[in-house]
Amino acid sequence: MKAFLKYREIWLAAAIIVLIGLISTRFPAFADPGNLRQVFNDTSILMILALGQMVVILTRSIDLSMASNLCFTGMVVAMLNAAHPAIPIPLLIVIALIVGLVLGAINGLLVWRLNIPSIVVTLGTLTIYRGATFVLSGGAWVNADKMSPDFIGFQRAAFLGIPVLSWIAILVIGLFFILMTRTALGRSIYAIGVNPTASVYTGIDVGRTKFIVFCISGMIGGLAGYLWISRYVIASVEVANGYELNIIAACVIGGISIAGGIGSVGGAVLGALFLGIISNALPVINISPFWQMAISGSAIILAVVLNARGERQQGRIILRKMEAA
Amino acid sequence: MTDIPAPRHIPDRLDKPLSSAIFSWEALLVVVAVAIFAINSFASPYFLDPYSLSDLTYNFTEKGLIAFAMALLIISGEIDLSVAAIIALTSTMMGMAVQAGAGTPVLVAIGIVVGLGCGAFNGLLVTRLGLPSIVVTIGTMSLFRGIAFIILGDQAYKGYPESFAFFGQGYVWWVVSFELVLFLIAAIVYWFLLHRTSFGRRVFAIGNNPVAAQFSGVRVGRIKFILFCLTGLMSGIASVLITSRLGSTRPSIAQGYELEVITMVVLGGVSILGGAGSIVGVVLAAFIMGLVTFGLGLLNVPGIVMSIFIGLLLIIVIALPIVWRRLRGNR
């Protein structure tokens, strides 16, 4: 039981349940399964993005360009759809993944080949990708009436009573879970974060792995680009402006250490859910949405304080679970 | 943000002994600045005009003031993402004071005190609790701007007194604005502080090796706390200037400034990993960014496209010495 309580995810899940409980004292319908399903769906995009950011942060890097990548890719697929409505949606998603991958690979190459710190590279590409969106679109918007019904309807279609968007999120969570816990790449990512020098000696190519994580976060940014645009049915240069910090905030609340090496898929998902619940609950319990930033800011600070205490206690051994067994 | 104990990625001096003077980072920046200046003066007939050049300075003075303090903070190995939010909160407080009928001296005092207070809050969280500054300041960024949103909602505060307008709009002499004078004074003060005092030496020491600095008697926590306070203070002063220049406060004021300030600092040759950098570099970088945005503005290039150039400039200038050195190494 004591070992069980050591996991941050358990505490975070408990905090989320308490949060839902508190909200439902003011507004009982909030805890209704239908509504919670809705909250999950609303948070899906943030969860997906947080997972992409997580693998980058685990390797002691950071990707500030994710929201700009989302904006650029979203504009590409929206314009493609407006010009050629016949392109099937699955193909558009593949295009979004490829465009995102290319943008991520540019970040990755600069970090890998030129050894420029990731925070500098992605600070630069953050502004470049958003500017490129403007050049691409000429500053014009793509509105709902220019998008095909399929483009908008795809992620809203229900499958087994749950929207496709939620299914995509579940699929991505599953893939990341397998990546992080069942693959050599996942182990390398943790190893680099815990001790890059030791990783080199164990034969891990640190630069190449960092390149791969940027490709992953790029693809995630691209996927989120399609999902975001088709959900909010408007593509403009302003899309997701400043959202990169929300993504990092979700990771931080989820217990992912910004110093690398510590974090889990469950943590990233729960961190995003926590932020999602706050933004969903404020209007229904009659708190002005203007409070949202201050509340999530306080939550981040609180989470960091708790994280720092946790990290000190646990040490940083990646194979903790196996040792215990 | 510790990394592999590899060589510093952003060299402030290139390796060769003879070339070290000619090919210093600052020299590279001067070349870039002169090139952009020349391109600007050919591209637009309106550029080479004293009044036009004076307008140019407004593009960098406010962000540059914060960049000086941010440079010291980044050299010490920390970062502050909350500077723009501090501007918003400080400006909101000044707006509230105006509604209560406060005069110009009170407004300036509020700017300084609130900015300092926000910086101290960041500093306490980072140094007392030993938290990573990048996440602390992402948190306080939301917190400070969140408070501004709670107070203001979708309103705007106006009605600043006449005399208050001097800070952001006034001229000290001919076309030399008050903001520019303040920028130059701050540049000299920070240059002296970083390069000519033991305090500055300690800042470098902390950035290069905080543990060694601690053991050699440097009070790492206290110096970092002071640096956070300074960054907050400069943000407060910048808030006075911006609020005065705009004559109004909205909760979205100075949105996105934090990244521009950091870009300025990094472009100025300060290592994002800490331990290296110079104030001269930051002054040049501020000037370059002002030139780029102003020059493109004269050519009617929209702001969002300018950001492409700033981003490219950042990556190219950082990558240039690395590529150059690699080419020489391969020979």
Side-chain angles (χ1 to χ4, degrees):
Chain A
M1 185 65 194
K2 211 175 167 189
F4 192 60
L5 284 179
K6 256 167 53 181
Y7 290 106
R8 184 178 325 283
E9 291 79 14
I10 305 292
W11 287 103
L12 199 50
I16 288 175
I17 290 166
V18 169
L19 189 63
I20 294 173
L22 282 175
I23 295 163
S24 49
T25 59
R26 292 278 301 274
F27 188 79
F30 190 81
D32 180 69
N35 187 58
L36 290 182
R37 212 153 54 201
Q38 183 62 41
V39 171
F40 183 87
N41 198 48
D42 284 343
T43 316
S44 292
I45 297 176
L46 181 59
M47 279 193 275
I48 294 170
L49 287 164
L51 286 169
Q53 184 69 257
M54 176 190 74
V55 291
V56 180
I57 293 180
L58 281 175
T59 65
R60 296 194 180 182
S61 302
I62 199 156
D63 187 351
L64 293 172
S65 70
M66 265 185 124
S68 302
N69 178 336
L70 183 163
C71 176
F72 182 83
T73 313
M75 183 59 86
V76 170
V77 291
M79 287 174 72
L80 268 178
N81 180 256
H84 307 283
I87 300 176
I89 300 305
L91 181 61
L92 267 187
I93 293 181
V94 172
I95 293 171
L97 286 170
I98 293 171
V99 174
L101 174 69
V102 170
L103 298 184
I106 294 172
N107 287 333
L109 274 178
L110 287 166
V111 170
W112 179 23
R113 286 295 175 196
L114 294 181
N115 258 336
I116 309 176
S118 58
I119 189 167
V120 178
V121 168
T122 55
L123 194 60
T125 52
L126 170 134
T127 60
I128 295 173
Y129 295 164
R130 198 169 284 278
T133 313
F134 183 93
V135 173
L136 182 74
S137 65
W141 295 9
V142 180
N143 292 322
D145 51 328
K146 288 186 197 136
M147 298 176 191
S148 71
D150 277 354
F151 185 84
I152 299 167
F154 179 74
Q155 59 152 288
R156 288 180 174 72
F159 178 70
L160 297 178
I162 296 173
V164 170
L165 175 59
S166 295
W167 282 114
I168 293 176
I170 293 167
L171 179 72
V172 172
I173 294 168
L175 286 175
F176 269 90
F177 187 76
I178 294 168
L179 170 74
M180 298 317 292
T181 59
R182 295 285 178 276
T183 67
L185 178 63
R187 288 284 98 180
S188 315
I189 290 171
Y190 277 114
I192 290 171
V194 173
N195 191 334
T197 315
S199 314
V200 173
Y201 289 120
T202 52
I204 296 170
D205 188 335
V206 174
R208 203 171 65 102
T209 310
K210 283 194 177 178
F211 173 71
I212 294 171
V213 298
F214 276 102
C215 289
I216 293 173
S217 77
M219 281 174 81
I220 288 294
L223 174 66
Y226 162 70
L227 295 173
W228 184 293
I229 300 300
S230 61
R231 179 162 182 76
Y232 300 107
V233 290
I234 184 146
S236 80
V237 179
E238 288 296 308
V239 161
N241 206 354
Y243 204 68
E244 54 277 340
L245 295 173
N246 290 37
I247 304 167
I248 297 168
C251 288
V252 169
I253 293 177
I256 293 153
S257 165
I258 207 85
I262 302 174
S264 69
V265 172
V269 170
L270 290 171
L273 265 181
F274 191 86
L275 282 181
I277 289 171
I278 288 177
S279 57
N280 266 280
L282 290 181
V284 296
I285 55 172
N286 279 329
I287 294 177
S288 145
F290 294 122
W291 280 76
Q292 190 182 327
M293 277 186 96
I295 293 179
S296 44
S298 314
I300 297 165
I301 297 169
L302 195 66
V304 191
V305 174
L306 294 176
N307 275 354
R309 287 181 52 197
E311 277 165 35
R312 239 171 264 155
Q313 286 160 6
Q314 289 179 358
R316 304 178 60 179
I317 305 158
I318 50 169
L319 296 177
R320 197 188 331 122
K321 260 182 269 182
M322 286 172 86
E323 279 171 358
Chain B
M1 299 215 49
T2 48
D3 216 315
I4 314 171
R8 291 245 169 265
H9 300 321
I10 308 171
D12 53 344
R13 299 281 186 275
L14 297 175
D15 297 17
K16 298 283 170 185
L18 188 135
S19 59
S20 66
I22 312 165
F23 292 103
S24 68
W25 188 274
E26 290 78 9
L28 178 68
L29 290 178
V30 168
V31 171
V32 173
V34 169
I36 297 174
F37 195 91
I39 294 169
N40 275 347
S41 52
F42 280 113
S44 168
Y46 307 109
F47 181 74
L48 280 179
D49 171 82
Y51 294 96
S52 162
L53 288 174
S54 167
D55 274 354
L56 184 156
T57 60
Y58 285 104
N59 283 320
F60 64 81
T61 41
E62 290 147 1
K63 290 163 204 155
L65 281 172
I66 307 173
F68 294 138
M70 183 75 88
L72 265 63
L73 197 57
I74 292 182
I75 289 172
S76 82
E78 302 287 345
I79 200 162
D80 187 348
L81 292 172
S82 70
V83 287
I86 295 178
I87 293 177
L89 182 58
T90 310
S91 186
T92 305
M93 293 297 169
M94 288 191 286
M96 285 175 78
V98 164
Q99 308 305 306
T104 302
V106 178
L107 293 180
V108 176
I110 288 175
I112 290 170
V113 169
V114 175
L116 208 54
C118 291
F121 185 68
N122 283 332
L124 277 180
L125 282 174
V126 171
T127 57
R128 287 283 154 168
L129 298 171
L131 307 173
S133 55
I134 187 165
V135 264
V136 165
T137 55
I138 284 178
T140 53
M141 176 177 126
S142 302
L143 183 65
F144 295 154
R145 203 178 280 277
I147 296 171
F149 265 107
I150 291 170
I151 295 170
L152 275 161
D154 46 10
Q155 309 284 306
Y157 280 143
K158 288 194 178 101
Y160 286 94
E162 291 270 316
S163 56
F164 186 64
F166 172 76
F167 298 107
Q169 302 168 14
Y171 290 88
V172 172
W173 172 74
W174 192 36
V175 295
V176 180
S177 66
F178 176 75
E179 287 200 3
L180 182 62
V181 172
L182 205 59
F183 174 83
L184 293 175
I185 292 172
I188 294 166
V189 169
Y190 274 94
W191 176 82
F192 189 79
L193 186 64
L194 182 62
H195 299 295
R196 288 291 176 273
T197 64
S198 63
F199 181 84
R201 189 157 291 277
R202 285 174 192 157
V203 171
F204 278 112
I206 293 171
N208 274 310
N209 193 335
V211 180
Q214 183 84 51
F215 280 117
S216 40
V218 176
R219 293 195 196 174
V220 175
R222 207 173 72 162
I223 288 186
K224 282 189 176 173
F225 177 73
I226 294 172
L227 292 179
F228 275 103
C229 289
L230 276 181
T231 312
L233 172 71
M234 297 314 278
S235 309
I237 293 173
S239 181
V240 172
L241 300 180
I242 296 170
T243 310
S244 156
R245 185 163 56 82
L246 300 176
S248 76
T249 299
R250 284 178 194 283
S252 62
I253 191 171
Q255 197 108 50
Y257 270 31
E258 60 278 333
L259 295 180
E260 285 188 54
V261 169
I262 294 166
T263 306
M264 215 177 251
V265 172
V266 173
L267 190 62
V270 173
S271 164
I272 198 88
L273 305 174
S278 80
I279 292 297
V280 178
V282 177
V283 172
L284 287 168
F287 188 57
I288 288 175
M289 284 180 70
L291 274 174
V292 171
T293 46
F294 189 73
L296 292 171
L298 280 181
L299 296 175
N300 282 325
V301 175
I304 187 87
V305 180
M306 291 178 197
S307 62
I308 300 185
F309 288 92
I310 300 284
L312 278 177
L313 197 69
L314 175 71
I315 291 179
I316 291 171
V317 173
I318 301 283
L320 214 60
I322 300 171
V323 174
W324 188 69
R325 188 160 44 159
R326 202 162 283 181
L327 288 177
R328 298 203 72 178
N330 288 345
R331 216 186 278 167

